Amino acid sequence: MRIVQEEVLKPIYCNMKKIWIIPAIMLLATQAHAQVTFAEGSTDMFVDQTVRSSHPVGVTDMNNDGLDDVIRMDSGVDVFVNYQQPDGSFIEVHMGDLGMGGDDAWGMAIADFDGNGYCDIMAGGWYDQIKIGLLSDDGTSMTVTYADADAIFVQGVSLFDMNYDGHTDIFACHDDGPSQIIFNDGNGGFVYDAAEVNAVINTSLYGGGEDDAGNYGSCFTDVDNDGYFDLYIAKCRQGVTDSQDVRRINQLWLYDPETQSFYEAGAAAGIDTGAQSWSADFGDIDNDGDLDMYVGNHDTNNMLFENNGDGTFTDISVSSGVGVVVPFATIQTAMRDFDNDGYLDILATGGGSHYLALNNGDNTFTAYQDLFSFDINSFGLGDLNDDGYIDILAVQGGYGGPWGGFSSDAIVMNNGGDNNWLKVNLDGTESNPDGIGARVTIEGPFGMMVRDVKSGESYGIVNSMISHFGLGTFDSITTLTVQWPSGVVDVLTDVDVNQTVTVEEGTFVGIAEPADAVEISVFPNPATDYVQLQCGNTLKNAEFTIMDMNGRNVELRRFTGSSLKVNTTQLSSGMYTWKVVAQGKCVAEGKLVK
């Protein structure tokens, strides 16, 4: 490897220290490739089979055992947690009233706020304060507290460490005004601080008050592949008919690491739609390393946007086959690989109806309107029998009552198949315990697949935070990379398929085996205010990372051409290392003195 600098460095290889494996206990059945079937919805695994949730429900690992659990809220108030057991059964715990004061929750999100090893639950509704249900150290009881913040009309909710202090914060969509950011104090308490909010997001974009109303669904994800999560807000203001009204225009807030704040860029990205949108989800439908977007609307067709690779998008709703009229007002949307063929599918539900579009692998989809035999209004997604296939917690309630069929919440099991898979469970140490805000990437003969870890998606639901990859017939994974929000990067090599891998932050720190080296000039070195990189060839979307001597990423930028200028004023004096990663492989590395 030759570097145009004072020294030539040898590649550094990853040391695999430990790997935790949770074997699948359910045998995979046979199914046709790229087809998926589901069993009848069932309440059999619930002790209380009468629970009817409102919109907010959750499927995620509540006790950090690598198995997805079920979180229900009867009438949007009374909390039940069903812990999945290794033998496929569930233990149900009735946590009690979340303190909604009789009003049902509209939005819910889940994370381990206090670091005791059990995920906690937050929810909110119509001007009844933000509720925090802190689970006990054994996960059998819940203590309800309230965020120190003004009451708002909560819609969708998302969680993310917005000020990068290692604690998971709350972003609550507000129907009647500006959305609310509530910061975690690290001990399970939450405080709204206007000055701190203004420091991380430009709340003066539209002037405040009613102009900022209509916030329905939210999602944190890395839209432009710069290593930092961004924020998308699906906007809807009922009764407003003008699609150019700011209360209906969806927003994209990109994170700028130089200012350590978010700025609005929906129009520049081409995804500032003016439909009445309730939800949106991001996922890589074509496995090219960037995240595409699906939007669920009420007053027009749902929309699919392809990421152009630079954080801008192209509307492919018609050409993909998903831009069709759905016979319902869409509430929930999600991208998951239901048939494990290696390509993300799209699920949309609302008003008791559903729509599943299976990805054909060529940016087109085959749509199914009636794949389930009963109505679905809302859902939570995860693997509820540990067979490597995504199942559905189906909610027929909403707006205070059932839409038809059986009225209780039910589990709809995916019948599975013979395609391979991998699940990745994260255990944060320096970052938040759940790894919210991390990016998980796998590479192999299939190419590359990426997943972002999110809590609180679509319109007030929680889907599994265990990253799921369908692999089709491929049976080997060359590298698994976890980029944590702290900047730590873990790399595992030669990972077996059909298992759940738990990655503890900092356990697999290293650099993957380099691909063909490229010549890069790095100057000035020593640096003062900036460092300039110059490459002999174009490195589109290649990542340049500066790391301190503990291996922590302190700066990350992305090439758009053959040169890159990086501000280094924020770095302390001392020695650093750097690397350039292209297509998932390290192609250059060296030392940098500040």
Side-chain angles (χ1 to χ4, degrees), residues 150-170:
D150 294 335
I152 62 174
F153 189 178
V154 175
Q155 300 292 310
V157 180
S158 295
L159 304 180
F160 184 68
D161 182 4
M162 296 194 69
N163 55 1
Y164 285 90
D165 64 353
H167 307 303
T168 306
D169 307 311
I170 296 171

Side-chain angles (χ1 to χ4, degrees), residues 457-523:
E457 301 178 71
S458 194
Y459 180 63
I461 61 174
V462 176
N463 298 316
S464 177
M465 289 183 277
I466 298 176
S467 297
H468 170 266
F469 299 88
L471 297 170
T473 59
F474 292 104
D475 59 3
S476 63
I477 297 170
T478 306
T479 60
L480 186 164
T481 303
V482 180
Q483 182 176 319
W484 298 84
S486 66
V488 170
V489 177
D490 285 298
V491 181
L492 292 71
T493 59
D494 299 325
V495 179
D496 292 333
V497 302
N498 297 335
Q499 64 166 328
T500 299
V501 177
T502 293
V503 180
E504 181 181 339
E505 185 175 9
T507 302
F508 306 97
V509 173
I511 302 175
E513 181 178 355
D516 294 337
V518 297
E519 296 183 351
I520 296 181
S521 301
V522 179
F523 58 91

Side-chain angles (χ1 to χ4, degrees), residues 403-425:
W403 285 91
F406 58 76
S407 57
S408 301
D409 301 341
I411 290 180
V412 183
M413 287 295 187
N414 190 325
N415 288 329
D418 55 3
N419 284 333
N420 295 321
W421 51 272
L422 179 76
K423 295 190 295 182
V424 182
N425 183 41

Side-chain angles (χ1 to χ4, degrees), residues 236-254:
C236 171
R237 192 58 169 163
Q238 296 188 34
V240 176
T241 58
D242 182 4
S243 62
Q244 301 302 310
D245 191 300
V246 294
R247 295 168 292 179
R248 287 182 46 162
I249 297 177
N250 295 354
Q251 298 176 2
L252 172 63
W253 295 84
L254 297 178

Side-chain angles (χ1 to χ4, degrees), residues 313-326:
F313 293 78
T314 298
D315 186 348
I316 61 169
S317 303
V318 175
S319 63
S320 65
V322 302
V324 298
V325 177
V326 294

Side-chain angles (χ1 to χ4, degrees), residues 90-263:
F90 283 78
I91 294 178
E92 183 171 291
V93 179
H94 181 200
M95 296 294 178
D97 194 328
L98 193 56
M100 301 305 297
D103 292 319
D104 63 320
W106 293 72
M108 177 180 73
I110 293 172
D112 184 358
F113 292 129
D114 54 7
N116 72 344
Y118 281 84
C119 280
D120 309 299
I121 303 167
M122 66 76 48
W126 191 77
Y127 292 101
D128 55 3
Q129 295 184 284
I130 300 291
K131 314 296 193 307
I132 314 294
L134 297 175
L135 267 64
S136 61
D137 291 345
D138 60 2
T140 61
S141 62
M142 178 179 70
T143 300
V144 178
T145 63
Y146 301 89
D148 184 7
D150 294 335
I152 62 174
F153 189 178
V154 175
Q155 300 292 310
V157 180
S158 295
L159 304 180
F160 184 68
D161 182 4
M162 296 194 69
N163 55 1
Y164 285 90
D165 64 353
H167 307 303
T168 306
D169 307 311
I170 296 171
F171 182 88
C173 288
H174 185 15
D175 196 350
D176 295 336
S179 296
Q180 197 170 69
I181 302 171
I182 312 172
F183 292 98
N184 187 339
D185 64 9
N187 298 310
F190 289 85
V191 177
Y192 173 80
D193 185 321
E196 191 168 7
V197 169
N198 289 330
V200 299
I201 193 165
N202 179 13
T203 56
S204 64
L205 178 66
Y206 293 130
E210 174 63 21
D211 282 348
D212 279 325
N215 306 286
Y216 267 57
S218 58
C219 180
F220 283 95
T221 196
D222 186 0
V223 173
D224 53 2
N225 277 2
D226 66 350
Y228 297 92
F229 269 37
D230 310 299
L231 169 66
Y232 190 76
I233 304 175
K235 304 273 286 187
C236 171
R237 192 58 169 163
Q238 296 188 34
V240 176
T241 58
D242 182 4
S243 62
Q244 301 302 310
D245 191 300
V246 294
R247 295 168 292 179
R248 287 182 46 162
I249 297 177
N250 295 354
Q251 298 176 2
L252 172 63
W253 295 84
L254 297 178
Y255 186 79
D256 181 0
E258 292 191 6
T259 62
Q260 298 182 357
S261 63
F262 294 81
Y263 65 96

